[in-house]
């Protein structure tokens, strides 16, 4: 999923959003009504990336390594970036993308020239001189502080963090070297989602067992904290515009919102289906905060209903036992 409000002619960037379906179709929907305003067709099923380049162009990537650029509803450009590409990530505010996948090392491409400008090297072999396998599942660009003020952040295409199927998080600096600056192993499960936060130093990584960890880039990815409460594999991690809150979706059918500083879970919503992505809305119109008395009453209503269900189930058991006697 990705916002497409400016592309759709909306007043805000979050007035419309893009979503990719399993059959290879990309739909542009209105957030307020849910109606499909435009649709596009990718070259094949299986989306590896979706983004809005500017107010006129959209980008999509497929699992077989084909990147397409659409302008005003028509395909204007397409090129190949690999064979088994699991992730295509656009650096916001630029024309640079990063790609990676199964036996596909990290690559950086210039969309204007359709040319590869960086290709990473694999990490050094182990003590037995055996090669480490490559399988990148997710990519995120780091934010660097602008020269004018440390509070302003801008995305750069030089510092990149990746997540692999072999439970590794790796940090690359394309200006420094081709190999990863550091590589850190997390648990025993594949790291399915990774996000570089806007502060420029923090990485959030989620694995296939629901572990959501906070890593510190400055100390080679050392674990600095954990976001608790997730019961399924992480499928998406997002940060809001203010940089204070974090959302996760997982295979346990919940979307959760955390406060980044305290790592406290503020809210969770059951979605009735497995979510693969989520987005933060800038507008909060039509949402009214529930009064504390109403919240307490709702909790007591739930407890009372559960009590009645327990009593009725006990009565049914007693009736069955009496009939058997």
């Amino acid at each position: 999923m990705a916002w497409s409000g400016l592309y759709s002619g909306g007043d805000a960037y979050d007035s419309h959003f893009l979503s990719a379906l399993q059959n290879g179709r990309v739909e542009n929907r209105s957030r307020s009504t849910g109606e499909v305003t435009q649709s596009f067709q990718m070259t094949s099923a299986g989306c590896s990336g979706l983004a809005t380049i500017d107010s006129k162009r959209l980008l999509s990537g497929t699992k077989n390594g084909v990147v397409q650029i659409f302008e005003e509803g028509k395909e204007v450009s397409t090129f190949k970036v690999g064979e088994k590409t699991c992730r295509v990530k656009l650096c916001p505010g630029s024309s640079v993308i990063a790609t990676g996948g199964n036996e596909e090392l990290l690559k950086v491409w210039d969309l204007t020239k359709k040319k590869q400008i960086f290709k990473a090297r694999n990490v050094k072999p182990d003590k037995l001189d055996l090669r480490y396998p490559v399988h990148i599942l997710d990519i995120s660009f780091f934010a660097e502080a602008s020269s004018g003020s440390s509070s302003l952040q801008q995305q750069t295409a030089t510092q990149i963090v990746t997540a692999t199927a072999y439970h590794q998080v790796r940090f690359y600096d394309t200006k420094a070297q081709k190999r990863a600056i550091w590589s850190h192993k997390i648990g025993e499960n594949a790291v399915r989602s990774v996000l570089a936060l806007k502060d420029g130093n923090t990485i959030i990584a989620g694995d296939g067992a629901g572990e959501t960890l906070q890593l510190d880039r400055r100390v080679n990815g050392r674990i600095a904290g954990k976001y608790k409460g997730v019961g399924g594999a992480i499928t998406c991690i997002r940060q809001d515009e203010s940089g204070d809150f974090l959302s996760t979706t997982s295979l346990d059918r919940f979307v959760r919102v955390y406060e980044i500083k305290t790592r406290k879970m503020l809210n969770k919503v059951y979605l009735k289906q497995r979510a693969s992505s989520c987005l933060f809305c800038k507008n909060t119109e039509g949402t009214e905060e529930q009064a504390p008395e109403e919240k307490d009453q709702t909790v007591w209503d739930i407890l009372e209903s559960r009590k009645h269900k327990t009593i009725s189930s006990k009565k049914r058991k007693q009736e069955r036992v009496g009939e058997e006697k």
Side-chain angles (χ1 to χ4, degrees), residues 53-160:
I53 302 175
D54 50 37
S55 60
K56 295 183 179 180
R57 296 181 299 165
L58 305 176
L59 177 141
S60 69
T62 62
K63 295 289 187 181
N64 60 2
V66 177
V67 173
Q68 294 173 270
I69 299 176
F70 298 91
E71 184 173 350
E72 297 180 354
K74 298 180 180 179
E75 181 184 323
V76 296
S77 178
T78 179
F79 61 99
K80 192 85 169 177
V81 296
E83 296 296 335
K84 298 179 181 179
T85 305
C86 297
R87 195 73 172 100
V88 174
K89 184 74 172 182
L90 174 71
C91 180
S94 70
S95 59
V96 173
I97 62 171
T99 64
N102 188 7
E103 292 303 328
E104 293 280 348
L105 290 164
L106 175 68
K107 301 175 185 176
V108 180
W109 303 77
D110 189 342
L111 292 178
T112 58
K113 301 178 181 178
K114 300 180 187 178
K115 183 180 179 181
Q116 177 184 304
I117 58 178
F118 174 82
K119 181 179 180 181
R121 293 180 63 187
N122 198 3
V123 294
K124 294 181 179 180
D126 60 11
K127 295 180 180 179
L128 299 176
D129 202 27
L130 297 176
R131 171 186 175 272
Y132 282 101
V134 178
H135 195 167
I136 296 175
L137 295 181
D138 199 12
I139 302 171
S140 182
F141 286 93
F142 251 105
E144 287 187 347
S146 300
S147 57
S149 173
S150 59
S151 62
L152 298 176
Q153 304 292 332
Q154 61 180 4
Q155 293 281 14
T156 62
T158 60
Q159 295 184 340
I160 305 170

